[in-house]
Amino acid sequence: MPSMPFSIFTTEQRANWLIEINPQFFSPLTPLLIPSFSFVSLCSFMGRALLANTAVFLIVLVGSPIPFSIISSKRSLLWGRQLLKKGLVWKIGAGINVPLSTPNWIPSIHSPTLLHPIDQSQAFVSFFINQDSTWNVPKLKHFFPSYQVESILQTPLDPTLSDSLIWGFHPSGIITVKSAYHLASSLASTDVPSSSSPNPFQHWWKKLWSLSVPPKIKHFTWKAFHHILPCALNLFLKRILPHPNCSICGNNTESVTHALIGCPRAKTIWKYSRFKQFYIDYHRNDIKEFFLQALHNIPKQDFPIFIAFVWHIWNTRNSIIFNKSGIPNNVEEFVINYLQEYIAAQRNYQGDQLDSEAATISRNTQQQHPTTLHPDTPSLYVDAALDHKNGLTGTGFIFKLGYQTVLASHCRPLPGAVSPIFAEGQALLQSLLWCLDSQLSPKFVFSDCLNLVSKVNSAWQDNSALSSLVSQIRLLFSNFPDASLHFLPRQLNMDAHGLTKEAPRPREDS
């Protein structure tokens, strides 16, 4: 090790020292170590020493000698190392460096399940990626269960074809003190099941918050998931009740799990519902695991009913305790009618809102056109739409003179449905490639995704797959030196939006 002060070394030089110390572990992490961040503050909650085997690591990375006393124990060192490992996920490019058996490449899936054997020489993620950097859906559906296929199609593919480990607990792919702290807190406070995602319940929460059920049912489910409903046990722990026993059966401690699953009252309701078999299979689980199993085993069309059904089981518990009523025999019927009435009310409300918005748009459309666009200006209009049901991204682009004269148009479906901004980026990339192939030269390119336009037009960059996509878009724009990218409100981009809906299903790739 050099005798000169370590503060003179750059962060990149310090990262190179780490690779020399432990090349197998630190080499894939170099992109995470290059960005400048306060590692001392990071160490303060991550076992005081995050990855080091010795104090050498801290000296090399931070840039000055650190008293050895901050390394409290070997246990804290190992814990900090494991915490970082839990936060790392694969950013998939070509997939040639990622074995199918690795646990951190499919969001929310701990262990990928292969339905059919596959030769070990092909047992890499690359086997399921087409040459145009899209997922091969027929292969995925043949080898993986449907719920895992759905998760895979939500995984973005890096267009630069590079496989790399990134910090998965932050959208940028770069480790931050805040994101690492939240991961450490979640691991310390709950028994988090092992997961490929640094936020192992991300898919669960995304599904819950998107359900067409009243907000109060979502809020109830959040409380039940975290075991904070006012059951007898929780009230006893808060010294509100003298004992934690169930007020209905009297034989057991009333935890949240007991109130919703284990109590004889709850058992009776479950066994007279469409969820009887699921209940028989999973009633011994904790309520959190019960919910997670339901996400994967209850049919999609029944999942909102299931969530509302659990909510109403709690309501029947309250009615029995406080109103002295009996066990109802029509819980499922009540829940279905309740949800139907809620959905009908929502549709009526949304219809009124759409009528109001349409009137406003019709009054303001002319004022929102860019004033610099003349009728003979070659312009490209781009849009994208996600089809989560079929795991597709529809892209549509129209080449016009001005706003009205259509010269050419094209639409293309892409396998996968990642996120709205990634879909808009894919559409923009495909539209520029289409212009190159068709020898079209736009002066203005319009997208209705303001976030994407801002990122492309700035120097924004991070470790995410979206950043690589934006870099590819900027590179393609170099083929159109006179072109510029602009934001256009959705209501003025309806022609391109209509094409995204017409994009056909992708062909069956062999």
Side-chain angles (χ1 to χ4, degrees):
M1 204 168 220
S3 58
M4 62 189 71
F6 281 95
S7 57
I8 68 172
F9 289 97
T10 65
T11 309
E12 184 173 0
Q13 288 172 320
R14 296 169 199 156
N16 290 334
W17 273 100
L18 296 179
I19 296 171
E20 291 183 19
I21 294 172
N22 192 335
Q24 285 186 336
F25 184 75
F26 288 115
S27 292
L29 303 183
T30 302
L32 296 175
L33 301 173
I34 296 304
S36 176
F37 61 89
S38 174
F39 193 77
V40 175
S41 59
L42 187 62
C43 289
S44 67
F45 66 87
M46 296 178 72
R48 295 287 181 90
L50 188 55
L51 293 170
N53 295 319
T54 67
V56 172
F57 170 77
L58 295 175
I59 296 174
V60 171
L61 185 61
V62 178
S64 60
I66 303 291
F68 191 77
S69 59
I70 74 165
I71 306 178
S72 58
S73 67
K74 182 178 179 180
R75 179 179 299 177
S76 66
L77 300 179
L78 295 176
W79 180 83
R81 179 186 174 115
Q82 289 302 317
L83 181 61
L84 184 61
K85 282 185 175 181
K86 286 182 180 293
L88 295 177
V89 297
W90 278 102
K91 180 174 66 171
I92 305 297
I96 58 177
N97 298 314
V98 186
L100 294 178
S101 58
T102 193
N104 55 349
W105 70 275
I106 307 178
S108 304
I109 304 296
H110 171 55
S111 300
T113 304
L114 285 174
L115 301 178
H116 306 283
I118 186 172
D119 188 88
Q120 287 302 308
S121 64
Q122 296 179 315
F124 292 86
V125 178
S126 56
F127 181 70
F128 298 95
I129 299 178
N130 296 320
Q131 292 184 351
D132 60 352
S133 296
T134 59
W135 290 110
N136 190 309
V137 178
K139 282 185 179 179
L140 290 175
K141 290 182 176 180
H142 178 73
F143 283 96
F144 293 99
S146 58
Y147 75 93
Q148 293 189 10
V149 172
E150 182 180 345
S151 293
I152 294 172
L153 291 177
Q154 294 174 8
T155 304
L157 292 175
D158 190 325
T160 63
L161 304 180
S162 62
D163 300 320
S164 58
L165 283 168
I166 63 173
W167 180 252
F169 214 32
H170 192 273
S172 67
I174 299 173
I175 189 171
T176 65
V177 173
K178 182 178 180 180
S179 63
Y181 172 79
H182 284 302
L183 175 58
S185 298
S186 67
L187 294 174
S189 61
T190 58
D191 294 325
V192 179
S194 180
S195 170
S196 63
S197 171
N199 180 1
F201 306 128
Q202 181 179 7
H203 183 55
W204 157 257
W205 292 122
K206 183 177 180 180
K207 181 67 174 179
L208 176 65
W209 300 131
S210 65
L211 290 178
S212 296
V213 299
K216 65 180 180 181
I217 295 182
K218 298 177 184 178
H219 187 219
F220 160 84
T221 306
W222 181 85
K223 284 187 170 184
F225 191 88
H226 287 97
H227 294 272
I228 57 176
L229 290 174
C231 59
L233 176 60
N234 287 340
L235 295 177
F236 171 74
L237 294 175
K238 293 179 180 292
R239 300 184 180 181
I240 297 175
L241 291 182
H243 61 78
N245 297 337
C246 178
S247 300
I248 297 176
C249 68
N251 298 324
N252 295 283
T253 298
E254 191 195 39
S255 63
V256 174
T257 300
H258 175 82
L260 300 176
I261 303 175
C263 185
R265 163 199 53 85
K267 290 180 181 179
T268 300
I269 297 174
W270 282 109
K271 290 182 178 180
Y272 284 96
S273 73
R274 68 178 67 187
F275 308 112
K276 176 182 177 180
Q277 188 57 51
F278 173 82
Y279 175 80
I280 292 173
D281 292 339
Y282 297 101
H283 72 279
R284 293 183 178 86
N285 288 330
D286 172 81
I287 186 61
K288 180 182 292 186
E289 184 64 24
F290 191 73
F291 277 133
L292 295 175
Q293 291 294 341
L295 180 63
H296 291 146
N297 292 282
I298 299 294
K300 286 184 179 180
Q301 65 273 16
D302 289 342
F303 192 67
I305 301 174
F306 176 86
I307 293 297
F309 191 83
V310 178
W311 165 75
H312 199 54
I313 286 179
W314 177 257
N315 288 346
T316 63
R317 174 257 189 199
N318 293 339
S319 295
I320 293 172
I321 294 176
F322 300 112
N323 300 329
K324 309 302 179 183
S325 61
I327 299 176
N329 56 9
N330 60 343
V331 172
E332 183 175 329
E333 180 182 353
F334 172 87
V335 167
I336 292 174
N337 291 335
Y338 182 82
L339 290 181
Q340 287 176 344
E341 292 175 2
Y342 171 78
I343 293 173
Q346 288 294 105
R347 286 174 177 170
N348 290 336
Y349 173 77
Q350 291 171 358
D352 294 340
Q353 289 293 103
L354 288 174
D355 291 342
S356 176
E357 291 175 5
T360 303
I361 291 170
S362 64
R363 290 194 300 268
N364 297 327
T365 295
Q366 296 301 322
Q367 288 77 9
Q368 291 178 343
H369 282 123
T371 56
T372 56
L373 190 61
H374 299 289
D376 58 347
T377 304
S379 307
L380 178 65
Y381 298 78
V382 184
D383 198 14
L386 291 175
D387 181 359
H388 287 291
K389 181 179 180 181
N390 296 303
L392 294 174
T393 295
T395 64
F397 12 98
I398 300 179
F399 194 88
K400 295 182 180 181
L401 292 180
Y403 290 109
Q404 305 297 330
T405 307
V406 177
L407 297 183
S409 64
H410 186 68
C411 60
R412 183 190 175 191
L414 299 174
V418 181
S419 66
I421 187 173
F422 197 86
E424 296 285 355
Q426 288 178 299
L428 183 54
L429 184 72
Q430 293 297 324
S431 69
L432 295 175
L433 290 171
W434 172 69
C435 284
L436 280 176
D437 292 340
S438 305
Q439 297 183 341
L440 300 171
S441 298
K443 185 175 182 180
F444 290 94
V445 180
F446 294 108
S447 169
D448 54 29
C449 182
L450 180 60
N451 195 3
L452 177 67
V453 172
S454 300
K455 291 183 184 301
V456 174
N457 287 335
S458 68
W460 172 81
Q461 184 179 5
D462 60 25
N463 284 350
S464 65
L466 177 62
S467 178
S468 299
L469 181 61
V470 168
S471 297
Q472 292 291 100
I473 292 171
R474 292 174 185 150
L475 184 62
L476 276 177
F477 261 106
S478 64
N479 294 285
F480 308 97
D482 297 328
S484 57
L485 178 64
H486 300 269
F487 168 72
L488 189 71
R490 165 62 61 84
Q491 60 267 25
L492 302 180
N493 200 31
M494 294 306 295
D495 290 341
H497 181 67
L499 279 179
T500 67
K501 304 297 184 180
E502 297 176 8
R505 301 284 179 88
R507 67 183 184 277
E508 295 291 315
D509 296 318
S510 58

